[in-house]
Amino acid sequence: MESPIGLFGGTFSPVHHGHLRSALDICQALELSSVTLIPNYLSPHKAAQDVNAHHRLAMLKLATSISPMLSISDIEISSENTSYTVDTVRSFRAQYPNRPLCFLMGMDSLINFTKWHQWQEILANCHLIVSKRPGYDISDNSDAANLLTDYQTTDIAQIKSTLNGRIFVYEAHPLAISSSQMRQALKDGNSITYLTPPAVEDYIATHQLYR
Ligand code: ATP
């Protein structure tokens, strides 16, 4: 079977090293061909962003340009509609009928996963690769624990040899960084240096975002 493809959806407002490093760690550990970061247009789970999709996309381009393992898709942004992961993974599945698809998410997202639109259908199209995130513990949440009972594998070979339907939990470099914490810092006039690549920091300053 060809190597799996990584997909990583999110709001990325703004992108930070927690996103980037976990994507890279997982890409290497699972020998994915690459990870495609997919910024949403409108998240079904979050209030509308005050920074528009094109700025979020531009920051992602700056952040990922230095890594050959990371790329970007504007599939959700160009739809100009609420972004449902099930639609996105279906579209990648149509494009790659015979390759394992791995959808990356942080533990906070897995904890809410059974509330996602058509979550069973998402698993029918891809695997979930979950990175542990400081402050989010599976044992606090019975829904997520049940999901792991039903779908977890600890065997990377199984992810590589099947197309979809498994959950793999990976301990990436734990980085307790969040976009909301960065937006608050910017609002308060505090520095975001070392939380995100310098090019993203410069872009935010030039365009006076998140003031
Ligand atoms: P916010 O603070 O606004 O909620 P966020 O930092 O969680 O934003 P998102 O764009 O919502 O960023 O996250 C996209 C995906 O990245 C989600 O699956 C989330 O769980 C994951 N993620 C975000 N930050 C981290 C981190 N520090 N470590 C691992 N995964 C993360």
Side-chain angles (χ1 to χ4, degrees):
M1 179 112 56
E2 279 184 85
S3 57
I5 297 174
L7 307 172
F8 189 16
T11 305
F12 305 111
S13 186
V15 61
H16 54 67
H17 283 136
H19 301 126
L20 297 163
R21 191 61 230 186
S22 61
L24 200 63
D25 280 344
I26 288 169
C27 189
Q28 294 183 128
L30 277 75
E31 296 177 346
L32 308 181
S33 59
S34 65
V35 175
T36 300
L37 287 87
I38 312 168
N40 58 42
Y41 183 71
L42 276 177
S43 166
H45 317 291
K46 292 189 180 186
Q49 294 296 313
D50 45 3
V51 163
N52 75 45
H54 295 284
H55 282 312
R56 291 186 285 115
L57 186 66
M59 291 187 279
L60 274 170
K61 281 189 181 152
L62 292 168
T64 55
S65 65
I66 56 169
S67 173
M69 291 183 212
L70 303 183
S71 66
I72 299 168
S73 163
D74 68 355
I75 180 173
E76 293 190 354
I77 283 184
S78 58
S79 80
E80 298 192 351
N81 231 313
T82 301
S83 309
Y84 291 105
T85 297
V86 66
D87 298 331
T88 304
V89 295
R90 274 193 183 125
S91 135
F92 277 90
R93 176 50 73 212
Q95 207 179 333
Y96 300 101
N98 300 315
R99 283 179 75 169
L101 294 179
C102 291
F103 191 87
L104 279 57
M105 60 174 60
M107 187 57 89
D108 56 308
S109 299
L110 185 74
I111 285 171
N112 289 310
F113 185 65
T114 55
K115 300 191 185 78
W116 287 26
H117 182 56
Q118 295 187 9
W119 66 268
Q120 291 97 334
E121 199 48 33
I122 298 175
L123 272 170
N125 284 281
C126 60
H127 300 298
L128 300 185
I129 313 298
V130 180
S131 62
K132 291 192 178 173
R133 196 174 170 185
Y136 296 94
D137 190 357
I138 201 82
S139 62
D140 300 343
N141 187 284
S142 59
D143 266 1
N146 289 340
L147 266 177
L148 290 185
T149 306
D150 292 344
Y151 299 101
Q152 186 174 21
T153 179
T154 53
D155 182 6
I156 292 183
Q158 212 172 3
I159 297 290
K160 290 186 186 174
S161 62
T162 57
L163 296 177
N164 60 273
R166 293 282 163 183
I167 302 180
F168 185 89
V169 180
Y170 184 73
E171 183 131 26
H173 282 86
L175 293 173
I177 305 174
S178 70
S179 298
S180 46
Q181 170 199 56
M182 290 171 69
R183 293 194 299 274
Q184 188 62 47
L186 288 158
K187 217 170 170 181
D188 296 344
N190 290 329
S191 166
I192 56 163
T193 303
Y194 305 133
L195 297 176
T196 192
V200 173
E201 187 181 356
D202 290 348
Y203 186 96
I204 290 171
T206 303
H207 296 274
Q208 305 197 344
L209 307 180
Y210 307 108
R211 290 292 180 86

